[in-house]
Amino acid sequence: MSVAVIERHLIGGTCVNTGCIPTKTLVASARTAHVVRRAADFGVTTGPIGVDMGAVKARKDAVSGESRSGVESWLDGMVGCTVIRGHARFVGPHEVEVDGRRLAAPRIFINVGGRALIPDMPGVKDVPVLTNTASWGWTACPSIWWWWAAAISGSSSPRCIAASGPG
């Protein structure tokens, strides 16, 4: 049996690149900040506590990058697996095309990942909106923000930002 894995952007999809893995790195940093701020409750004295969001982002990028590299190496080294980078589209019930190359198979599985959707609500178009992928670029916590989330990765972020922010 042979398998073709087609990826148009980053191997690892949503979980490795914009969902689970980066969210868990943010959760770990926020949890650490929270615990350190409560050190006095445990009889431990510390100095001023701060969070360097640039370092948090760099750590997130490194962890996601290592995960992506691991998945890429695993797939590239798998016997019977061919990784094709490009955008696929169906050209028949059992056939896809990737950048002019046609592939046929009796079974084709689609894993499309996830993308943020900005809801069509009154006022949304009148304010700047960041999606989950845009917010991963932050190097400072916003002082005022409103969060709308519909998935576990999105619902973890506001709590992490609050825990990472000032005092």
Side-chain angles (χ1 to χ4, degrees):
M1 176 180 286
S2 62
V3 173
V5 175
I6 303 164
E7 177 58 62
R8 72 173 169 177
H9 188 48
L10 297 172
I11 294 286
T14 302
C15 183
V16 169
N17 298 292
T18 60
C20 313
I21 302 292
T23 298
K24 287 175 182 172
T25 63
L26 183 59
V27 167
S29 295
R31 175 74 180 149
T32 300
H34 172 73
V35 169
V36 172
R37 285 189 181 106
R38 291 198 55 225
D41 295 347
F42 299 93
V44 176
T45 56
T46 63
I49 307 302
V51 174
D52 178 346
M53 286 303 288
V56 170
K57 179 190 178 310
R59 179 175 176 273
K60 181 271 301 176
D61 291 343
V63 170
S64 288
E66 288 171 19
S67 294
R68 183 172 45 256
S69 290
V71 173
E72 286 175 341
S73 295
W74 176 64
L75 289 173
D76 286 339
M78 187 181 295
V79 174
C81 180
T82 302
V83 177
I84 301 168
R85 286 167 172 82
H87 181 82
R89 66 182 184 90
F90 277 94
V91 293
H94 299 282
E95 194 172 18
V96 295
E97 183 176 277
V98 184
D99 299 330
R101 178 179 177 185
R102 288 188 176 222
L103 304 165
R107 291 181 303 278
I108 299 173
F109 298 92
I110 304 170
N111 184 354
V112 295
R115 288 189 200 124
L117 172 75
I118 299 172
D120 185 17
M121 295 170 36
V124 169
K125 293 179 182 165
D126 302 328
V127 296
V129 175
L130 291 174
T131 64
N132 63 313
T133 53
S135 66
W136 290 131
W138 286 346
T139 55
C141 287
S143 57
I144 299 173
W145 49 276
W146 182 77
W147 202 276
W148 179 287
I152 193 66
S153 294
S155 61
S156 299
S157 298
R159 184 161 188 249
C160 293
I161 292 166
S164 298

